């Protein structure tokens, strides 16, 4: 493995893992802020979107509008998919239990890895595949037996969320030359727009407003920034596997902050998920990167072809701003 490829893989893995830590604070903030879910997500999208907009403005300065205009159809597709996944997540939690959603979301590594193989010929190392199986077993251990009984509508929405995120990961892997930070920013405001009709319409004040600002900045804005950049640098299956770390960390934050002691099966299953993710990452970093089949798919990009969606004066700057440091 070349030093540059190894550094890129480590950088991407670190960013995705850090994003999982940010996403894992969802349980903490939802316990802390006593608002209905649509209102909570409405303000989350507003403040998270403002953070990403500020980050984009610092990166591109006077070319911020150009960055949004040149994200292309793939960027718009990712923004829509992110917003739809957020809405599906909220609806699924309303129609079924958290255990249902967690169990179905655990199929994410298989969906993203399978779609990446079918559409762009991306093949993952066998250690990561085995680790995904153990991570799935760990999540199943964490939920109660019979959790998937009934609640067909909620289960369908949870699967729609998982499938939507898997498609989004594949698009992000294909379109590495297009900046997806503007797409993430757009998705934040789209999710707020989707939640607005169901929200209470009351403007929070005082400490609750500060809590909402932290929720949007830490959990959504920062998490999306780290995830969007990191997911483009590592395979889709490994991205989805590392993202499962939030399943372990989420209960831990609630336990530390509110004294909620996790169940024994939560501790056992969470340990299995965490160990699988760490082991797969350490092993694959020391091996050659996964090979790919010939890029015969129409979704696979030609690295020698110019990007018609990006003006030439902006292209070097975009690449320099998002390069690993």
């Amino acid at each position: 493995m070349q030093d540059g490829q190894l550094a890129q893989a480590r950088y991407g893995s670190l960013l995705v893992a850090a994003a999982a830590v940010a996403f894992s604070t969802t349980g903490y903030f939802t316990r802390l802020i006593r608002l209905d879910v649509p209102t909570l997500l409405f303000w989350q999208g507003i403040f998270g979107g403002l953070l990403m907009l500020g980050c984009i403005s610092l990166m591109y300065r006077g070319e911020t509008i150009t960055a949004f205009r040149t994200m292309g159809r793939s960027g718009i597709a990712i923004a829509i998919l992110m917003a739809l996944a957020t809405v599906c997540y909220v609806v699924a939690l309303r129609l079924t239990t958290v255990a249902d959603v967690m169990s179905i979301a655990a199929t994410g590594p298989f969906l993203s890895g399978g779609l990446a193989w079918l559409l762009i010929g991306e093949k993952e190392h066998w250690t990561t595949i085995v680790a995904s199986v153990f991570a799935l077993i760990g999540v199943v251990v964490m939920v109660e037996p019979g959790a998937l009984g009934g609640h067909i509508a909620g289960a369908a929405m949870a699967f729609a969320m998982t499938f939507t995120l898997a498609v989004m990961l594949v698009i992000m892997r294909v379109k590495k030359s297009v900046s997806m930070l503007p797409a993430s920013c757009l998705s934040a405001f789209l999710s707020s727009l989707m939640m607005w009709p169901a929200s209470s319409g009351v403007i929070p004040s005082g400490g609750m407003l500060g809590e909402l600002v932290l929720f949007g900045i830490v959990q959504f804005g920062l998490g999306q920034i780290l995830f969007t950049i990191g997911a483009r640098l590592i395979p889709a299956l490994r991205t989805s596997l590392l993202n499962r770390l939030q399943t372990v960390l989420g209960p831990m934050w609630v336990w530390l902050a509110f004294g909620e002691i996790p169940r024994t099966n939560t501790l056992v299953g969470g340990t299995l998920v965490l160990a699988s993710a760490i082991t797969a990452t350490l092993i694959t970093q020391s091996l050659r990167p996964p090979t790919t089949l010939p890029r015969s798919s129409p979704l696979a990009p030609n690295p020698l072809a110019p990007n018609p969606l990006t003006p030439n004066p902006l292209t070097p700057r975009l690449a320099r701003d998002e390069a690993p440091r």
Side-chain angles (χ1 to χ4, degrees):
M1 177 184 293
Q2 298 179 357
D3 292 340
Q5 292 176 324
L6 180 60
Q8 186 181 73
R10 289 177 175 173
Y11 182 71
S13 297
L14 178 62
L15 289 179
V16 173
V21 175
F23 291 143
S24 70
T25 61
T26 303
Y28 169 78
F29 282 109
T30 53
R31 292 297 180 111
L32 181 66
I33 307 172
R34 299 188 178 277
L35 286 175
D36 59 280
V37 174
T39 303
L40 190 66
L41 290 179
F42 170 78
W43 290 106
Q44 176 202 48
I46 292 294
F47 293 122
L50 290 176
L51 173 67
M52 286 185 279
L53 182 60
C55 179
I56 294 170
S57 299
L58 289 176
M59 290 178 63
Y60 302 126
R61 300 177 180 87
E63 299 166 339
T64 299
I65 297 179
T66 305
F68 278 95
R69 292 177 57 187
T70 57
M71 66 182 182
R73 291 176 295 179
S74 60
I76 296 175
I78 284 181
I80 295 174
L81 289 171
M82 284 185 179
L84 287 176
T86 302
V87 173
C88 289
Y89 176 71
V90 174
V91 175
L93 289 176
R94 285 301 185 94
L95 297 178
T96 187
T97 64
V98 176
D100 287 357
V101 179
M102 288 174 58
S103 299
I104 296 173
T107 63
F110 301 98
L111 285 175
S112 58
L115 287 175
W117 175 69
L118 288 173
L119 298 178
I120 62 175
E122 183 176 272
K123 298 175 65 177
E124 184 55 84
H125 194 269
W126 67 269
T127 54
T128 306
I129 298 175
V130 172
S132 297
V133 175
F134 278 100
L136 175 62
I137 295 174
V139 176
V140 171
V141 171
M142 292 175 69
V143 301
E144 297 178 355
L148 293 178
H151 309 294
I152 297 177
M157 294 302 298
F159 179 80
M161 173 199 69
T162 306
F163 183 80
T164 300
L165 291 177
V167 175
M168 183 194 73
L169 284 176
V170 174
I171 295 177
M172 291 172 66
R173 286 291 294 166
V174 171
K175 295 296 183 178
K176 293 182 181 181
S177 60
V178 179
S179 175
M180 294 304 171
L181 281 178
S184 299
C185 179
L186 179 60
S187 80
F189 294 118
L190 282 177
S191 64
S192 292
L193 183 62
M194 292 179 181
M195 290 292 100
W196 175 63
S199 63
S200 63
V202 177
I203 300 178
S205 60
M208 182 173 291
L209 181 61
E211 294 167 354
L212 286 169
V213 172
L214 287 176
F215 187 28
I217 289 177
V218 176
Q219 190 276 338
F220 194 72
L222 182 61
Q224 289 287 5
I225 290 172
L226 296 173
F227 184 82
T228 301
I229 299 176
R232 293 165 50 200
L233 304 177
I234 58 178
L237 182 58
R238 196 179 312 169
T239 299
S240 189
L241 176 62
L242 286 171
N243 199 39
R244 294 273 67 77
L245 293 175
Q246 60 180 296
T247 308
V248 182
L249 296 175
M252 186 183 71
W253 304 138
V254 178
W255 168 55
L256 292 175
F258 303 102
E260 290 190 8
I261 301 176
R263 302 189 308 265
T264 302
N265 59 323
T266 301
L267 295 175
V268 174
T271 300
L272 185 57
V273 174
L274 185 61
S276 300
I278 293 177
T279 302
T281 302
L282 292 177
I283 292 177
T284 51
Q285 281 182 356
S286 62
L287 299 174
R288 295 186 61 185
T291 57
T292 56
L293 298 175
R295 294 183 180 271
S296 57
S297 168
L299 294 179
N302 180 359
L304 300 180
N307 185 355
L309 300 175
T310 307
N312 290 335
L314 182 59
T315 302
R317 183 171 190 173
L318 295 177
R320 182 178 69 253
D321 288 341
E322 297 188 359
R325 299 178 181 177

